[in-house]
Each structure stands twice: as C-alpha cells, then as structure tokens.
Amino acid sequence: MADKEIHPWTFLDTYRGKLFNTKWPTFPQVLMISADRYPDSPCFTDFDGPNGSKRTFTYAQVLVSVKKLAKWMVANGIKKGDKIAVTGKNSPEWGTVYLAALFASGIIVPLDYALHDNEIENLIQTAQPAMIFADEEKYDTLSQKNGKVYSLCGKYTETYVYNLESEKNVPENPPAEPDDVAAILFTSGTTGTPKGVMLTHENFISDCYIAQSNFNHGNGDVFYALLPIHHAYTMQAAFINPLSTGAEIVFGKSMAVSRLMKELREGKITVMLGVPLLYNKLLAGITKGIREKGPLVAGLMKFLMGLSYIIKKITGKNPGKSLFKAVLQQANIYTLRVAICGGGPLSSGVFKTYNAAGINFIQGYGLTETSPILALNPIEHFKIESVGKDFYPYEEIKIINPDREGIGEIAVKGPMVMKGYYNMPEETKKMFTEDGFLKTGDIGKLDAEHYLVLCGRAKNIIVTSGGKNVYPEEIEDAFQLYDDIQQITVQGYIEDQNTRSEGIEALIYPSDEVYNRLGVKREEMFASDDVKEIIQTDVDTVNRTLQPYARISRIEILEKPLAMTTTLKVKRSYK
C-alpha cells in the first residue's frame, strides 16, 4: 500500500467529515479549525491601545467576536449573498468585520480607504452593500450619503463594531458553500464602471494552502500586515495565510518610520511582506548606518555579506543571522525569519543583501484575479531572476504565443482563478482562452524547473524601430538602488512619425538628497540643469548595462511626484 502523500494541508483531514465535507473548507470553517487547534494563541494584534500600547486578541476571543457580530448582522437583515463593505486602515476591527460578513454567509467588499470620496461613492453605488463599516476618516462623510454605516473606531460608541450585539433568537443563514462568492475586490475606484473581481471561498482557501507548498509557516510565526489589507496581496499573504495556520497577525497602519520601527521591535515580527519600494527604503537605512562606520568596516561588511551569500547558496545554511546580529537588531528586524516581496520584481542587489544578512528573502507573483498568489520562490531553492516557482500540479501555467526565447503572455488555470468580474460577463469572457486559461496580461517565460521569469505588462511593451520588444519594468528595476532617483517611469514616445517607431524616455522624480547635495530647494528652477546633469549620469550608467535598443534616449525631470497606488506602485498613464 502506497504511503499517503503529505501536504501542508494534510491536518485538515482531522476535521473532514466533522466540520466540512468538501475538498476545501470555507472561511468560517478555517477560523473554527484554527480556534480549535490554538484557542489561546495570539490572533489579532495592534498598537492602538491606551498611549499606543499593545492590544492582542486570541483565536478564541476573535471567534467569539466574529460570531457575535455575524449574529447581529443577521438580526439586522443580512441575508445570504448580501454585500457588506468595509473601508479603513488595517486593524483587528477591520479583520473582525471581514470574517463576520462571511460567517453571516454574506459577501465582503473591501474598499481602498485612500480613494477620494467620489471614488468610494462610485464603488458603493456599483456594489450596493447592505451595510458599510468605516473608520474615523470616512465615517461622517459616508453617513451623510448612505444608510446603515457603522464604525471601526471606538469614538462612535453606538455603532462601534465591538459594541454591536443582538439578543434576538434569529435563525442562522444557510452556510456558505466553497463556490459561493466570498469577496468582491475592486481593482480601481475611477469614474465609469469599476471592475470588481469576484473571488469565492474556494478561490481564497485553495490558494492559501497551495501556496504553503513553497512556504512553510505556522503557529508561533508573527505576520506583519503593513500594506493596506484591502489589497489581494496583503489579504492573502498577511491575513488569510496566518489565520489558516494559527499564526499571529500584527496590523500596521502607517509607514512612518517611528511607528514602523516600534511595531517591528515590539511585535517581534517573523514574517513580513512588502513591495520593492518598502524593502529598498529599509535597506537604504541599513547600508547608510554601515557606511557611517567608515570605509574599513564597510569594506569588511561587504566581504562578509558576499561570503555569507555564497555559503547559503551552496549549503542552504545561513550564517548571516549570527554575523550581522548587531546590524539587524539596530534595524529592528533580527526576529525576522522571512521577508516576502510582491508587486513587481526586485533588484538582484537588494535580494542578495537581505539573504546574505541572514533573512530568508523570497519573491512571489500573482494578480487579484487569481486570489492572488500564482508563484512563490521556495526558501530552500530560490532563484533571484525568478518571481517564483509555480504550484504544479495544483495549477497549470502556460505561455501563450511564445517567441524564440520562450517569452509570451502568461496564462493560468487552477482553483484560485476568479469566478469573474461583477456584473461584467463580456469583460469576464475576454479574460479567458477557449480552453479555459485566464490571460494575465503579463509577459514572461517558464524555465525547465517551473520557475517564472517576469518581463512586464503586455500593454506596456515598447516596440523600437528595429522591431525589438522592450519591457519598461526591466529598465525601471535597474534603478532601484540609485539614491538620487525617488521615482522613475519608463515609457515609449514616437521617435519617427513616418514609421511610428518608438524611442524610450524616462520620467524621473529626483530624491530630496539631490537637492540637499546641491544646496538648493526643489522649487528653484535655476537648479534644474544641475539636477538633470546628476540624473543623466545615473541614466548613462544604467544605459551601459542595457542592450543598445533598450537604452533611454531622453529624460524628463518631474516637478511633482507621480501618483502611486496604496501598494506603492506608480500609476502609469497610457498615451
């Protein structure tokens, strides 16, 4: 008799037939399982207690709060399939509303709290939620235009989440099924008809457990939910994943350095996820501290990091944690076991430095429509050039219309793929191939070991006069460690009106450091030539590393920073 195959989700078999009978449990079942396994373990934590003190709720306490709120929701008219919106900064209250909506068999609609009032209102008009939960920033505005608005903030005691309770004996709604929609995630709040991604319980939960094939975590880990949790990336990696294994979630609300350092230090974070910009900034602070110790110490540290990285790649053991203990403690990341980067490829230099310093640093890839994780680098066998290894055979990734180098559009099929766009059947249909694969819109290739290499977005491709395809993201990534450049967006411009061929330009917002070095203020226009000269030097340096057809031929210095998403990615404007 063959041995039973062991997966990260094998423990679910203990509860199969008792709590659930399907392939994957639903959200409520996941929380009930974790609360049964680890009732007294910390679940939700933040630093919003009196005078910034630490608040922690155990799994047993969270389950009680969630069930209480879900019962109140049902007593106040929520039926199965009703939508409940939540908008606010990361908090235990936010997480409680999210889970309670699903315990009530509703559909949660998380809204980006950074959107303008008219954009939020546009999403509300589209989703038509039966209830809205908002933090202090949006509460009054939303209350003026909408009925049934409740508070994530204790300031409004009568409508505060933790004060909502019903003594009525109302029958529970029929339980959610795995194929029921659990959440609608809007990919933007712009005017017009917003695109809402419908993700089911099975989408989220299958992706959660399958992703653990490439990343082992569990009870005792402390996840840092710093990026906005309404976003699919944070929602899956720093909320759903830790809930499934009994880990602790520390809710971060701000990227202000003082608050970030406090939460890292006092939270004793073991798993952190971020985007390239966040990790670049954190590393810049560390390397600055090393440089200040003088060239001799800096040179020795550089040598030791190189040696540490080689040892890790060859043996799998990482001496960096011991070698650089003092540096990591100063940066409040000594307890960090794993750092995960998503939202775009990271500079290989940053990737190497974190790993060399003793922190397991891995990249992942996905999109909202896939719940979102599609690939993740295993800690034990990572590849710097890759955004992750796929989860074959639990999903299938293929490359559509590959060129001679195997580069083409990435497409995927698997249980994590969305049910569709909310009330947009035609838009949904366009996203799929005839054989049922979701077209991601991203360009890349798969190597022989199923590692995915990302090149860029299909709609961002620049076609040069020589017919070469240039991916702007690859060029932008080359500037990640240049301190003089705060933001850069690479795009095409029409170089020849007759052939309509494109040249490559860079829109650059210089860092404050450039102006400080020149001793001028940003608004002093006479300094623009000097600033441009410094930036041009950086561009020339990067250009020498690029193929001739991929080199930047003109630059524009921006007076104001480019708009960014709440996950710190520059919003592109298409010409």
Side-chain angles (χ1 to χ4, degrees):
M1 183 176 171
D3 290 338
K4 186 177 180 180
E5 194 171 357
I6 303 298
H7 305 290
W9 56 88
T10 297
F11 74 90
L12 290 175
D13 291 340
T14 306
Y15 295 91
R16 202 179 304 275
K18 298 175 184 176
L19 269 181
F20 71 101
N21 295 298
T22 49
K23 183 172 184 180
W24 301 105
T26 60
F27 263 101
Q29 291 159 352
V30 166
L31 180 60
M32 287 189 287
I33 290 169
S34 289
D36 182 69
R37 297 174 81 199
Y38 310 108
D40 300 321
S41 292
C43 180
F44 290 167
T45 293
D46 72 358
F47 290 87
D48 269 8
N51 301 314
S53 61
K54 188 177 182 180
R55 292 193 305 169
T56 295
F57 304 88
T58 67
Y59 270 84
Q61 289 171 328
V62 168
L63 182 60
V64 168
S65 295
V66 165
K67 283 186 171 181
K68 184 181 84 167
L69 183 58
K71 181 184 176 186
W72 176 88
M73 288 176 173
V74 174
N76 282 270
I78 293 297
K79 304 291 187 221
K80 181 175 181 177
D82 281 351
K83 293 178 286 295
I84 297 162
V86 59
T87 178
K89 293 181 179 177
N90 300 354
S91 68
E93 288 88 346
W94 194 103
T96 300
V97 170
Y98 186 105
L99 293 167
L102 300 173
F103 265 74
S105 304
I107 297 170
I108 190 70
V109 184
L111 303 178
D112 184 349
Y113 68 85
L115 293 174
H116 297 300
D117 290 345
N118 65 317
E119 293 176 315
I120 288 269
E121 199 58 42
N122 188 37
L123 295 182
I124 289 171
Q125 291 305 312
T126 301
Q128 292 291 306
M131 288 180 177
I132 301 170
F133 289 80
D135 66 7
E136 187 176 354
E137 293 176 13
K138 302 283 186 187
Y139 182 83
D140 289 332
T141 304
L142 288 172
S143 297
Q144 290 168 10
K145 295 184 179 180
N146 303 276
K148 293 194 175 182
V149 177
Y150 304 94
S151 177
L152 301 178
C153 171
K155 175 181 174 182
Y156 303 94
T157 56
E158 290 186 6
T159 58
Y160 180 45
V161 167
Y162 289 144
N163 293 341
L164 300 176
E165 188 171 7
S166 174
E167 299 298 331
K168 295 179 184 176
N169 288 319
V170 291
E172 294 182 359
N173 288 332
E177 299 295 334
D179 193 45
D180 288 340
V181 175
I184 299 175
L185 306 186
F186 286 99
T187 55
S188 76
T190 53
T191 55
T193 305
K195 197 176 281 186
V197 179
M198 296 188 295
L199 296 171
T200 67
H201 289 259
E202 183 178 15
N203 288 155
F204 278 124
I205 304 306
S206 67
D207 195 49
C208 160
Y209 287 117
I210 288 170
Q212 291 171 36
S213 304
N214 291 358
F215 171 42
N216 181 45
H217 60 81
N219 181 248
D221 269 315
V222 183
F223 282 68
Y224 192 24
L226 176 61
L227 296 174
I229 204 167
H230 72 269
H231 191 276
Y233 169 37
T234 319
M235 190 183 299
Q236 180 60 270
F239 184 68
I240 302 171
N241 255 270
L243 281 175
S244 76
T245 61
E248 181 180 0
I249 303 165
V250 173
F251 294 96
K253 293 181 174 63
S254 167
M255 290 192 195
V257 174
S258 59
R259 176 139 191 166
L260 175 65
M261 291 296 106
K262 172 187 169 73
E263 290 171 348
L264 283 170
R265 181 178 63 254
E266 296 183 23
K268 295 181 170 51
I269 307 300
T270 66
V271 181
M272 179 177 177
L273 69 154
V275 291
L277 180 61
L278 177 63
Y279 288 119
N280 291 340
K281 294 293 183 189
L282 195 58
L283 184 60
I286 295 170
T287 53
K288 183 181 179 183
I290 293 173
R291 284 198 303 267
E292 288 173 352
K293 295 182 184 297
L296 191 62
V297 174
L300 178 61
M301 293 285 278
K302 186 175 181 181
F303 168 76
L304 289 174
M305 280 194 169
L307 181 63
S308 174
Y309 182 78
I310 291 169
I311 291 171
K312 181 176 182 183
K313 282 298 285 182
I314 293 174
T315 68
K317 295 184 169 46
N318 194 335
K321 221 44 182 295
S322 300
L323 286 171
F324 308 110
K325 182 176 180 179
V327 175
L328 297 174
Q329 284 178 328
Q330 188 177 2
N332 296 312
I333 54 174
Y334 180 69
T335 59
L336 202 58
R337 183 173 70 84
V338 181
I340 304 172
C341 186
L346 189 74
S347 162
S348 60
V350 177
F351 197 112
K352 284 183 178 178
T353 303
Y354 277 104
N355 273 292
I359 294 172
N360 294 311
F361 200 96
I362 55 177
Q363 294 192 81
Y365 164 74
L367 55 157
T368 304
E369 287 86 346
T370 58
S371 309
I373 306 172
L374 284 179
L376 196 62
N377 260 298
I379 292 170
E380 303 78 14
H381 183 39
F382 63 87
K383 294 187 180 183
I384 285 183
E385 70 277 9
S386 168
V387 291
K389 189 175 190 287
D390 73 6
F391 305 122
Y392 182 82
Y394 309 110
E395 71 175 11
E396 185 180 354
I397 291 179
K398 72 175 182 178
I399 305 299
I400 300 174
N401 299 322
D403 62 15
R404 284 179 295 182
E405 297 177 14
I407 298 172
E409 184 176 3
I410 301 162
V412 62
K413 183 187 284 187
M416 66 287 295
V417 174
M418 68 171 182
K419 194 162 191 170
Y421 293 124
Y422 180 60
N423 285 345
M424 300 178 79
E426 291 304 315
E427 288 292 326
T428 300
K429 187 177 179 181
K430 289 176 189 174
M431 289 293 293
F432 290 88
T433 63
E434 288 186 5
D435 55 350
F437 280 77
L438 176 81
K439 297 180 286 185
T440 67
D442 287 321
I443 302 298
K445 62 181 178 180
L446 275 171
D447 72 11
E449 294 183 285
H450 287 257
Y451 282 78
L452 188 64
V453 178
L454 200 62
C455 298
R457 292 288 293 170
K459 59 185 175 184
N460 296 345
I461 292 175
I462 301 165
V463 182
T464 68
S465 56
K468 295 284 189 180
N469 287 346
V470 176
Y471 306 100
E473 293 88 349
E474 290 184 344
I475 302 172
E476 292 161 1
D477 292 341
F479 287 91
Q480 285 188 15
L481 295 180
Y482 284 77
D483 294 338
D484 294 337
I485 295 174
Q486 184 169 323
Q487 292 179 332
I488 179 169
T489 292
V490 172
Q491 61 186 22
Y493 70 96
I494 301 301
E495 194 173 41
D496 188 316
Q497 291 292 343
N498 293 324
T499 63
R500 302 298 293 173
S501 62
E502 294 183 279
I504 299 168
E505 69 174 349
L507 309 180
I508 296 172
Y509 183 69
S511 67
D512 291 339
E513 195 170 312
V514 175
Y515 294 91
N516 293 338
R517 200 158 68 242
L518 290 171
V520 298
K521 295 180 179 178
R522 196 179 287 273
E523 60 268 19
E524 293 175 7
M525 297 305 297
F526 64 82
S528 60
D529 287 344
D530 292 335
V531 172
K532 191 167 186 176
E533 186 177 334
I534 290 173
I535 298 300
Q536 187 65 59
T537 301
D538 288 343
V539 170
D540 291 342
T541 302
V542 170
N543 269 345
R544 285 193 287 273
T545 70
L546 302 173
Q547 294 293 332
Y549 62 82
R551 290 173 183 164
I552 295 167
S553 53
R554 77 180 189 190
I555 65 172
E556 180 183 341
I557 303 299
L558 302 174
E559 296 178 15
K560 295 181 179 180
L562 296 158
M564 300 186 78
T565 67
T566 46
T567 50
L568 307 182
K569 290 191 286 187
V570 170
K571 292 182 180 179
R572 292 183 184 272
S573 56
Y574 298 100
K575 295 184 172 182

